[in-house]
Amino acid sequence: MAFDWEKASTQAESDYAERIPAGVHDVVIKRLLFGSKKGGAFKSRDGDPQIMVIFADGGGREASQMVTLSDKAGWVLARLLSAAGADMKRMKADGVLPRDFANQEFARANLVGRRLRVDLKYKTGNDGKEYADVTPVRTRPAAAPAQPSAPEDELDPNAVPF
């Protein structure tokens, strides 16, 4: 069977996106991957579930980072969510755990589309490949946040995602 060069060259554009250069960038979480093309969910060396978070800048360039969904490594996801404006107090009150993000529907609903600023560096792994090291950057609000128009107990808790 002959290799189909035309098909390979026209695969989904996100498979061949230009990478975001090192530096500080405003990005959006574009998509999430839960497993490899070869099959099987992503897992850490300790067997904990992982997701690959794909960030995109305004020019469509991308960077990705693996996030381990364990209590021990939960600080990575917490920093990302916090920098993206998630309500951390509400997540704690609702009993949300890092491993809950292994549920694809839950993770996509609470991560995809979130905007944040990141400091992006590239590091060479033990396998000789370059990997993105994405550090969320907290930005200070330009003005004080607006107060809700209704008391908190009157707000619909199902209307606002974390």
Side-chain angles (χ1 to χ4, degrees):
M1 177 194 231
F3 183 78
D4 189 341
W5 290 97
E6 185 174 359
K7 180 180 177 185
S9 71
T10 59
Q11 287 180 347
E13 67 182 69
S14 62
D15 288 349
Y16 297 106
E18 183 180 337
R19 78 179 191 176
I20 302 172
V24 177
H25 301 275
D26 291 323
V27 297
V28 64
I29 298 175
K30 182 176 178 180
R31 61 191 169 107
L32 305 172
L33 297 178
F34 297 87
S36 68
K37 291 180 181 180
K38 297 175 186 173
F42 291 132
K43 297 270 184 203
S44 71
R45 279 178 245 163
D46 294 333
D48 294 309
Q50 291 182 309
I51 58 174
M52 181 183 289
V53 179
I54 310 218
F55 303 92
D57 69 4
R61 299 174 299 185
E62 295 181 357
S64 63
Q65 182 166 27
M66 295 299 290
V67 176
T68 301
L69 306 175
S70 69
D71 290 349
K72 183 178 178 181
W75 63 271
V76 176
L77 181 60
R79 285 180 62 185
L80 185 136
L81 285 163
S82 178
D87 185 339
M88 306 309 280
K89 288 180 184 177
R90 182 169 169 203
M91 289 177 66
K92 181 178 179 179
D94 288 348
V96 176
L97 301 170
R99 68 176 171 255
D100 294 335
F101 287 84
N103 176 303
Q104 293 185 25
E105 186 176 314
F106 180 83
R108 286 188 175 109
N110 288 288
L111 288 171
V112 174
R114 287 196 179 268
R115 298 184 177 282
L116 65 153
R117 178 166 285 175
V118 299
D119 184 6
L120 181 62
K121 297 178 175 94
Y122 288 93
K123 296 183 178 180
T124 304
N126 293 336
D127 58 3
K129 295 181 182 178
E130 267 196 336
Y131 294 95
D133 180 20
V134 181
T135 303
V137 177
R138 286 191 189 207
T139 56
R140 296 184 182 165
Q147 295 298 317
S149 57
E152 190 171 344
D153 57 349
E154 291 179 20
L155 297 175
D156 181 0
N158 298 318
V160 180
F162 299 111

